[in-house]
Amino acid sequence: MLDVLRLVRAFNLVVAASGVLAGGWIALGALATPTVLALAALAAAGFGAAGNALNDLWDAAGDRVNRPGGERPLASGRLARGTAELCVAGGTLLGVGAAALVSGTALLVGLGALVVMAVYSPLLKRWGLPGNMAVALVAGLPLMYGALAVGRSGAGLVPWALATWIHLVREIVKDLDDVAGDRMLGRRTLPIVLGARRAEVVTAALAAAFVPLSLALPAQAHYGGAYFLVALFAQLAVLAVASRLFGGRARGNSLLLKGAMLVGIVALVAGRVA
């Protein structure tokens, strides 16, 4: 059971579902959870589980090189492919069923996101930066999905933009960690195309640019002062990542960025409901 949870990235699913709830709260301006918002969070978890399992199915060969410690249960052989395929089917059914109860638009958006996740490893990742951008748009989608679920999609634009930007930085950071396996699979990720050092500099610049963006967009959208207070901690973490990358330290940045994302979600909610 523990390996199944690792396969579907259970923690990431909780974060995605929480992001959907947060997106709804931001849009509503209140910590209210109507049924459609709860269903949208469940749909996001289902689609995410299917996408994560698919990713491991496609990436098993590369994971044996990039993660030899056995952290990927499918690549290490602890989990059968059939189990992973069942997770894909079950997650898809859960996502489709829950999204259909929200709205037709929510269903189409959820299916679109699943398609991107399905083709990311075998196709989009080979394209380098465009693939990173596609997966970042999907990874940042939960905040918009929550706003969409409560009928106020416009309120999800700023959160989606900020989440997409920081996810883009994290995707390239992960590519920096995965060069050996990606090269073996013939992928043209940014570190392979530009070289690790140039990719580190580009990623550091993107991380540094996130800070003024995370100030300007919420200010323009009239977020409350609580946002700027809480967001300061996320911004400092992102600046730390930028500094580390400029200094040639590529390892250990993914976890820092994940922490910044969580703090950022709290900041966005605080800026609307506090």
Side-chain angles (χ1 to χ4, degrees), residues 14 67 73 99 117 237:
V14 172
R67 294 170 176 81
M117 288 187 281

XYZ file of all heavy atoms in Angstrom, residues 14 67 73 99 117 237:
43
model
N -2.610 15.610 -2.193
C -3.171 16.434 -1.110
C -2.943 17.910 -1.411
O -3.826 18.749 -1.221
C -2.554 16.044 0.244
C -2.984 17.027 1.336
C -2.956 14.622 0.629
N 17.219 7.657 -10.277
C 16.865 7.404 -8.879
C 17.189 5.957 -8.515
O 16.284 5.138 -8.294
C 15.383 7.704 -8.648
C 15.076 9.191 -8.810
C 13.591 9.477 -8.817
N 13.357 10.907 -8.870
C 13.401 11.646 -9.977
N 13.656 11.072 -11.128
N 13.186 12.947 -9.938
N 8.787 2.986 -6.897
C 8.459 1.566 -6.712
C 8.317 0.785 -8.007
O 8.610 -0.409 -8.049
C 7.136 1.608 -5.941
C 6.585 2.976 -6.157
C 7.762 3.873 -6.321
N -15.590 15.362 -11.630
C -15.625 16.572 -12.447
C -16.961 16.733 -13.162
O -17.474 17.852 -13.307
C -14.478 16.556 -13.461
N -0.688 15.489 -19.059
C 0.115 14.651 -18.175
C 0.470 13.324 -18.849
O 1.571 12.790 -18.674
C -0.633 14.384 -16.859
C -0.711 15.594 -15.939
S -1.406 15.211 -14.311
C -3.162 15.156 -14.694
N 12.429 32.240 -0.015
C 12.819 30.881 -0.401
C 13.173 30.817 -1.883
O 14.151 30.169 -2.278
C 11.697 29.902 -0.072
